[in-house]
Amino acid sequence: LEPKLKAFLDSAKEGVILAAFGTTMPTVGDSRTQFLKNTFSKLPSRVLWRHAGEHLEGLGDNVLVMDWVPQLDVLNHPNVKLFVTHCGRASTYEAAFSGVPMVGLPLLYDQYPNCWALSKYAKMGITLSMDTFTEDELYNAIMAVLSNPEYKKNAIKAKAISLDQPLSARETFLYWLNYTIHHKGASHLISQVAHELNFFQFWSLDIVAFLAACLCTSCFVVYKLLWVIISKCYLNKSSEKIKKH
């Protein structure tokens, strides 16, 4: 950890909350950013906020903003008590591996089920909607997780389960690397079916052709229906004119 960050974490007797929303979404909308800023500034704990947007004015003295943080190293610091996260895949794993409770604010895609897994299944936090949360809801959720030891207890349980592996990640990587070298590429592990696919199967052209045919058929049916409807309307108007004359 760089000296400024390390000093911020080491001296936080009241604990630190890490807030980060991933590398692909370092900032959120202006209104959401304002809510986050106001909420973080009211908290009794220190807040380390990864924010890569414009400079934020009016932050509380308890908030440190950085455009990048070594997330896993920070989560494993003993003074970090809570993780406010978007629940991206990497952040979800790191929260579980570090045993840190969370408040989830999912933004898109797989983040919603990831937050659900942490908050509903692992019961190590609370999930709010990024689109609709209020300052009071976020503040209350953060304080609820910090004040209820069950969330920390469940986070530690998730950590124990996640780390209980026969080999470490490094040992697993080295094993399979040596295995592949020893067996000269380990071609027996490669799917033989994938190598037997012809050009049409490999590019799924049969499926593309079927979907294209369905689309063309649907467009043709819609076209004919519209043509019949318009024709009938035109004929009705023509017959009314004839009757009037």
Side-chain angles (χ1 to χ4, degrees), residues 110-192:
D110 63 328
Q111 297 164 13
Y112 293 95
N114 290 343
C115 278
W116 182 89
L118 291 178
S119 60
K120 301 299 182 183
Y121 181 71
K123 300 185 185 304
M124 53 183 285
I126 296 173
T127 295
L128 301 175
S129 171
M130 176 63 85
D131 296 326
T132 62
F133 81 87
T134 65
E135 291 180 27
D136 288 341
E137 287 176 339
L138 180 57
Y139 181 87
N140 291 336
I142 290 173
M143 296 307 297
V145 176
L146 289 174
S147 62
N148 188 341
E150 285 299 312
Y151 291 112
K152 180 61 176 180
K153 178 181 176 181
N154 291 331
I156 295 298
K157 180 180 178 181
K159 176 180 179 179
I161 293 172
S162 301
L163 297 181
D164 191 4
Q165 303 292 333
L167 297 173
S168 68
R170 182 175 183 274
E171 291 170 335
T172 301
F173 170 75
L174 290 175
Y175 169 80
W176 285 110
L177 178 63
N178 291 326
Y179 182 94
T180 304
I181 295 172
H182 178 72
H183 293 285
K184 303 184 186 305
S187 59
H188 58 283
L189 296 179
I190 300 174
S191 172
Q192 299 303 312

Side-chain angles (χ1 to χ4, degrees), residues 22-110:
T23 56
T24 58
M25 194 70 70
T27 59
V28 294
D30 291 340
S31 63
R32 302 292 97 187
T33 299
Q34 186 66 35
F35 285 169
L36 291 170
K37 182 181 74 172
N38 294 343
T39 302
F40 293 159
S41 298
K42 293 187 294 185
L43 292 169
S45 304
R46 290 188 177 182
V47 178
L48 173 59
W49 186 3
R50 180 182 183 271
H51 178 81
E54 297 180 359
H55 177 70
L56 298 173
E57 301 288 347
L59 286 168
D61 295 335
N62 64 318
V63 182
L64 173 63
V65 176
M66 302 182 71
D67 59 5
W68 183 85
V69 296
Q71 186 166 285
L72 186 58
D73 292 335
V74 170
L75 285 172
N76 280 285
H77 193 283
N79 285 344
V80 173
K81 306 301 181 184
L82 178 69
F83 186 22
V84 180
T85 173
H86 67 309
C87 295
R89 184 173 295 275
S91 295
T92 300
Y93 288 146
E94 290 175 357
F97 291 160
S98 304
V100 177
M102 47 73 68
V103 170
L105 293 170
L107 293 162
L108 38 79
Y109 307 136
D110 63 328

